[in-house]
Amino acid sequence: MLKCPFCRAEVPDDSHFCDQCGKVFKFCPECGKPKMGTTCAACGVELITADAHFGGTVPCGATALCGEGLTLTLKEGDFGRRGGIWPEFVNFPYISGNHGHIGSQGDSWTISDLGSTNGTRINGKKLQENKPVMLHIGDTVEIATSKFTVK
């Protein structure tokens, strides 16, 4: 359960607004909690809409990363400049040889960084090494200097 930052009522975790006071939620992409205002008082990060926070639709609808002139089909396995599930990365100099991993949890997809030199980010937040993060439709995924959108 979430606490409404406006009236402190408890609401379900997937709420876009408070069913008690009617206020629309904005979320901190770092903390993942609903907040008031335009930036998170704890992190200083700009708040995002509930739709952006929840990815617009259920995560299992995600099928690809699109960007850099490519459509990369989501499938389980490692990726990087040395090959793996996306051999297209062979000519991307800032992507590490063994950069990251796409995994699945139930009907959802995850991405993790495998200790790459230039990192992996979801919506601007750098991933910790070997800590899978759920992908949602609409997320921006940065693999080193290359940007993709989850579709």
Side-chain angles (χ1 to χ4, degrees), residues 3 10 12 15 20-21 23 32 35 48 83 90 102 111 123 151:
K3 276 199 188 244
E10 287 195 0
S15 296
Q20 299 299 308
C21 70
K23 299 277 188 175
K35 306 279 184 164
I48 59 174
V90 69
I102 298 292
I111 189 168
N123 301 321
K151 302 281 185 177

Side-chain angles (χ1 to χ4, degrees), residues 20-131:
Q20 299 299 308
C21 70
K23 299 277 188 175
V24 176
F25 292 155
K26 284 198 164 188
F27 288 82
C28 172
E30 296 286 324
C31 304
K33 295 182 180 169
K35 306 279 184 164
M36 292 190 293
T38 57
T39 58
C40 177
C43 307
V45 175
E46 188 173 329
L47 301 180
I48 59 174
T49 65
D51 284 343
H53 176 71
F54 291 113
T57 63
V58 294
C60 62
T63 61
L65 297 180
C66 299
E68 306 289 328
L70 300 171
T71 298
L72 304 168
T73 302
L74 291 174
K75 51 191 164 191
E76 205 161 354
D78 291 347
F79 62 88
R81 214 175 50 252
R82 286 192 211 119
I85 59 172
W86 298 320
E88 297 91 332
F89 285 158
V90 69
N91 294 318
F92 285 67
Y94 297 104
I95 294 177
S96 293
N98 193 30
H99 194 99
H101 180 81
I102 298 292
S104 62
Q105 289 183 347
D107 290 339
S108 301
W109 294 103
T110 62
I111 189 168
S112 48
D113 188 274
L114 299 177
S116 67
T117 302
N118 293 310
T120 305
R121 291 172 183 71
I122 303 281
N123 301 321
K125 183 179 177 185
K126 187 172 181 173
L127 300 186
Q128 294 178 5
E129 185 175 341
N130 295 312
K131 299 245 177 166

